[in-house]
Amino acid sequence: MKLLEVKNLEAGYNHLPVIHDISFDLEQGEFLAVCGPNGSGKSTLVKALQRLTPFTRGTVKLEGRNVFRLKTKEIAALLAYVPQVSDQVFDFTVEETVAMGRYVHQGHKLAGQLDKDRSEIEEAMRLTGVAALRQKNLSQLSGGERQRVLIARALAQETPVLLLDEPSSHLDINFQLQIYHLLQDLQIEKKKTILVAEHNLNLCIPYCHRLLFLKQGRIEAAGPPAEVINRKVIRRVFDLEVELRENTSSGLPEISFIHSAGRTVNKIEPGPETGAKN
Amino acid sequence: MSPRHRNWFFPVSLILLTLAGFLLSVKLGAVRMTWQEIRAGLFSGGQFKDILIHLRLPRAILAYLVGAALALSGAILQGYFRNPLADPFILGVSSGASLGAVLSLEIGLTWTVFGFSSQSWLALLTSLLLVGSVYLISENQSPGRSESLLLTGIAAGAMASALTSFFLFRRADAYEQAVFWLLGSFSLSGWKEVWLLLPYFLLTLIISQYFAPEMNLLALGDEVAQSLGCPVKTIRRLFLFLATLLASFSVAVAGIIGFVGLIVPHSVRLLIGPDHRRLFLFSALTGGMMLVFCDLLARTVFSPSEIPIGVITAALGAPFFIYLLNRHQRGRS
């Protein structure tokens, strides 16, 4: 049985649908990347699955249960959402932040934090490598560290599915890769089902099993990277001509920009052998 | 646990200062008395029994309660709006209350119900009415948007202030009574004010403490709070209701005392961190302590005449607040 089944999902703000007619499904342990132009509805889709958008129509079934009929707390036990890193007004510590992921599992409040909560918080911080930062305030961390703290909080939530909204935005290339390595570890070792909204195609291609291309709120193409990363699809989705090359380490296709004729760009001029190589 | 959890200095000094505040409040005043006479007056009834039991003690207790109530209300609203500059009067409670009080003077109401003047009642009613309509208007326009609530509150407050000024302008003789409302005072307070505020304050403190984990989630933003399992709408409504009623009751018994509800929660957050499970309780305790001292100053500095307490809270609170902000900034960099 599929873990997550999405049928005819429509969602948006102020009764204006941003995404329409979205249907797809995910098996346990699958890694899906949702890509598409700015404003195509990637973030809205990620939020809608958790019913975070003001209105949603259609069905999202998780383990056979209709998510939109569940209570807020029940949804939070099934799907964890990792927002984009943003500045917080109130500066909680790393440990306090991760501990908030346990809210959904804390039954009677006066009982306080149980051993189970403690060990889940520790485990989440260990997996994401933020345990050493536990007493630091979020404002003292780098963007990459903060993103990992938010992922730790989602792990503490102990859900089968992780939803991430552009986890690589605002990160340098080293941190971007680190985050995807972390996500892949979680997917393989913890059997987490992962759905990311991602704008950096070359970054997610080697790590996701399938890609979902959105355009103007509708699915334009979907499939494994080897099938959907081609010039025709990129042209349809982004209205952009690109060239594809093979990534030497993954063997998978990768996007390469075409810099249009007549534009001044930095180029290695073909010339004497001595030039750029040193 | 982080170092600030283990910090005992703050709670201990808070307890000591509060005790000192209460002792000085019963000791100092226009009538001088020795500690023996005070002990006798409080416990076995001496010549000063009336002054102590019916004037100084209830006044100190009420000052404590109002300070605690305003600070708790401020702590709730700062979390609610995710804005450390929010205060209990941000949605127009103060402007609504002063309009009610001035209106009562203007139409010459003189009745008393349950020992409270028509001014107190009208102040309470108009402030609740004002915030209620602010909430309904903004919910109607853009449900769940706290920015819209904030702006509507500011607009409505400005309108109520304009009306208040208009009535005051028309009647110069109402000035003295109006000052009581606009700058706050405990000069008329007794046990009945204490009994009005106490049960409501305790109830709010218990409920806020119970729902403090949810407020922590709300502080992260509505979407994130909901994604972590917090029933955002219900919790928001609950806290708004609690904070507004708390501020309205405080104003009805003691007038508008500014600044406590803004700086106390903010300062306490700088000292012990943003976790509302500690912030609510310690804001209330600190606010109470602070207002006991402010009232002490208000009635002793120019004794036998009194200064409005709002003057003291602002005059002392503002520099301390700037000092704290400065120290905090330096500690960070």
Side-chain angles (χ1 to χ4, degrees):
Chain A
M1 197 179 81
K2 300 285 184 190
L3 179 72
L4 181 76
E5 286 173 275
V6 180
K7 269 215 184 82
N8 306 322
L9 178 64
E10 186 179 298
Y13 310 86
N14 301 327
H15 297 278
L16 284 172
V18 175
I19 52 171
H20 318 261
D21 202 19
I22 306 284
S23 302
F24 65 93
D25 43 42
L26 281 175
E27 297 195 45
Q28 192 188 359
E30 217 177 340
F31 194 144
L32 177 81
V34 179
C35 300
N38 290 339
S40 59
K42 303 188 288 289
S43 296
T44 309
L45 171 56
V46 169
K47 287 178 190 169
L49 295 176
Q50 246 225 9
R51 207 180 56 195
L52 296 178
T53 47
F55 91 93
T56 42
R57 233 172 278 153
T59 51
V60 174
K61 275 194 180 166
L62 209 148
E63 292 170 343
R65 301 164 79 189
N66 189 341
V67 169
F68 294 160
R69 298 239 176 89
L70 299 177
K71 288 185 196 141
T72 307
K73 211 165 176 174
E74 293 171 320
I75 298 177
L78 296 170
L79 299 149
Y81 166 68
V82 180
Q84 289 189 35
V85 170
S86 62
D87 280 334
Q88 292 295 329
V89 182
F90 300 127
D91 209 3
F92 289 98
T93 63
V94 169
E95 192 171 11
E96 286 169 337
T97 305
V98 177
M100 286 192 222
R102 295 302 298 166
Y103 171 77
V104 66
H105 297 290
Q106 276 156 355
H108 202 281
K109 281 197 223 174
L110 305 178
Q113 228 175 43
L114 306 172
D115 288 348
K116 164 87 171 141
D117 294 322
R118 289 247 40 91
S119 66
E120 285 297 328
I121 293 165
E122 288 303 321
E123 172 76 352
M125 289 198 294
R126 190 186 62 79
L127 284 169
T128 49
V130 296
L133 307 169
R134 66 178 71 220
Q135 286 173 25
K136 293 220 168 172
N137 288 344
L138 244 51
S139 66
Q140 296 170 300
L141 306 184
S142 70
E145 290 168 335
R146 276 197 236 183
Q147 185 69 67
R148 283 187 289 156
V149 172
L150 298 189
I151 293 174
R153 184 177 69 196
L155 289 177
Q157 224 171 317
E158 268 191 294
T159 57
V161 183
L162 288 183
L163 309 168
L164 299 97
D165 190 4
E166 305 210 358
S168 72
S169 61
H170 313 302
L171 300 188
D172 67 36
I173 49 176
N174 184 356
F175 281 138
Q176 289 184 354
L177 205 60
Q178 269 188 29
I179 293 293
Y180 271 83
H181 288 167
L182 170 63
L183 291 178
Q184 193 180 40
D185 292 346
L186 294 173
Q187 174 247 320
I188 293 169
E189 287 164 27
K190 292 257 147 189
K191 295 276 176 287
K192 293 275 184 193
T193 306
I194 296 177
L195 187 150
V196 288
E198 181 56 69
H199 59 259
N200 189 340
L201 279 170
N202 286 349
L203 179 62
C204 64
I205 287 168
Y207 301 100
C208 65
H209 300 121
R210 274 193 296 154
L211 274 159
L212 200 77
F213 278 111
L214 293 184
K215 188 184 185 183
Q216 292 169 358
R218 292 175 197 279
I219 295 179
E220 184 73 30
E227 282 173 28
V228 289
I229 299 294
N230 58 56
R231 295 178 59 179
K232 231 168 84 190
V233 169
I234 302 296
R235 188 185 309 130
R236 264 194 356 241
V237 174
F238 292 96
D239 298 315
L240 181 71
E241 291 296 334
V242 295
E243 271 174 16
L244 295 176
R245 58 173 183 237
E246 187 179 289
N247 181 292
T248 47
S249 57
S250 69
L252 285 163
E254 209 167 49
I255 310 290
S256 175
F257 292 127
I258 302 173
H259 300 286
S260 37
R263 188 165 291 278
T264 318
V265 292
N266 298 325
K267 249 187 212 173
I268 297 172
E269 296 294 340
E273 292 285 314
T274 46
K277 287 220 166 157
N278 300 321
Chain B
M1 295 274 126
S2 76
R4 66 190 185 215
H5 293 238
R6 286 196 299 266
N7 196 342
W8 50 267
F9 179 75
F10 179 56
V12 170
S13 45
L14 199 56
I15 293 169
L16 292 179
L17 281 170
T18 306
L19 278 176
F22 272 101
L23 285 177
L24 288 173
S25 291
V26 291
K27 171 100 169 93
L28 301 178
V31 181
R32 289 172 181 279
M33 40 185 114
T34 64
W35 288 113
Q36 269 88 15
E37 286 168 328
I38 289 170
R39 212 175 59 198
L42 283 176
F43 300 111
S44 49
Q47 51 172 328
F48 298 120
K49 189 182 171 202
D50 273 359
I51 295 182
L52 289 171
I53 299 284
H54 296 298
L55 291 175
R56 291 189 188 170
L57 195 60
R59 180 169 176 157
I61 292 175
L62 188 70
Y64 187 86
L65 275 179
V66 168
L70 287 174
L72 178 58
S73 174
I76 292 174
L77 288 171
Q78 288 179 3
Y80 182 98
F81 287 111
R82 287 187 279 280
N83 188 336
L85 295 178
D87 81 351
F89 305 141
I90 198 154
L91 291 178
V93 168
S94 52
S95 348
S98 43
L99 177 62
V102 172
L103 208 61
S104 156
L105 290 173
E106 170 74 19
I107 48 185
L109 294 179
T110 50
W111 38 262
T112 322
V113 181
F114 300 131
F116 290 98
S117 68
S118 53
Q119 286 162 40
S120 294
W121 285 112
L122 230 62
L124 184 66
L125 287 178
T126 42
S127 65
L128 290 178
L129 211 67
L130 191 79
V131 178
S133 26
V134 162
Y135 181 76
L136 288 179
I137 290 170
S138 86
E139 274 300 287
N140 203 20
Q141 274 172 350
S142 40
R145 296 286 301 271
S146 57
E147 297 89 347
S148 143
L149 186 63
L150 208 58
L151 293 173
T152 316
I154 289 169
M159 218 163 68
S161 295
L163 280 172
T164 308
S165 308
F166 171 73
F167 287 126
L168 278 180
F169 175 74
R170 273 169 36 93
R171 299 193 37 162
D173 59 312
Y175 179 76
E176 234 171 78
Q177 270 175 300
V179 165
F180 172 89
W181 289 101
L182 296 176
L183 291 168
S185 172
F186 291 107
S187 57
L188 302 173
S189 47
W191 287 110
K192 66 176 194 297
E193 280 86 359
V194 170
W195 296 127
L196 176 77
L197 194 55
L198 183 68
Y200 185 68
F201 166 71
L202 286 178
L203 193 70
T204 308
L205 184 63
I206 291 166
I207 299 176
S208 320
Q209 225 24 72
Y210 186 77
F211 287 107
E214 277 82 357
M215 184 54 105
N216 280 342
L217 300 181
L218 276 189
L220 305 174
D222 283 3
E223 269 178 8
V224 174
Q226 196 185 325
S227 81
L228 292 168
C230 172
V232 170
K233 271 188 200 157
T234 321
I235 296 291
R236 277 192 160 282
R237 249 180 238 148
L238 171 78
F239 272 118
L240 188 66
F241 179 75
L242 291 177
T244 303
L245 219 52
L246 212 48
S248 301
F249 271 118
S250 303
V251 173
V253 298
I256 301 161
I257 301 172
F259 236 67
V260 185
L262 169 69
I263 64 157
V264 170
H266 196 129
S267 313
V268 173
R269 193 180 299 109
L270 294 182
L271 288 170
I272 66 167
D275 187 340
H276 290 89
R277 285 171 297 183
R278 277 169 282 143
L279 188 65
F280 284 154
L281 180 67
F282 279 105
S283 293
L285 296 177
T286 311
M289 184 271 290
M290 181 185 156
L291 219 54
V292 169
F293 275 104
C294 287
D295 184 49
L296 188 62
L297 287 176
R299 65 192 176 82
T300 52
V301 170
F302 290 108
S303 176
S305 65
E306 284 193 18
I307 318 170
I309 188 164
V311 174
I312 306 275
T313 53
L316 287 184
F320 174 71
F321 188 50
I322 290 169
Y323 158 76
L324 206 63
L325 282 177
N326 254 328
R327 211 190 62 157
H328 184 69
Q329 293 300 334
R330 238 178 286 139
R332 266 194 171 181
S333 52

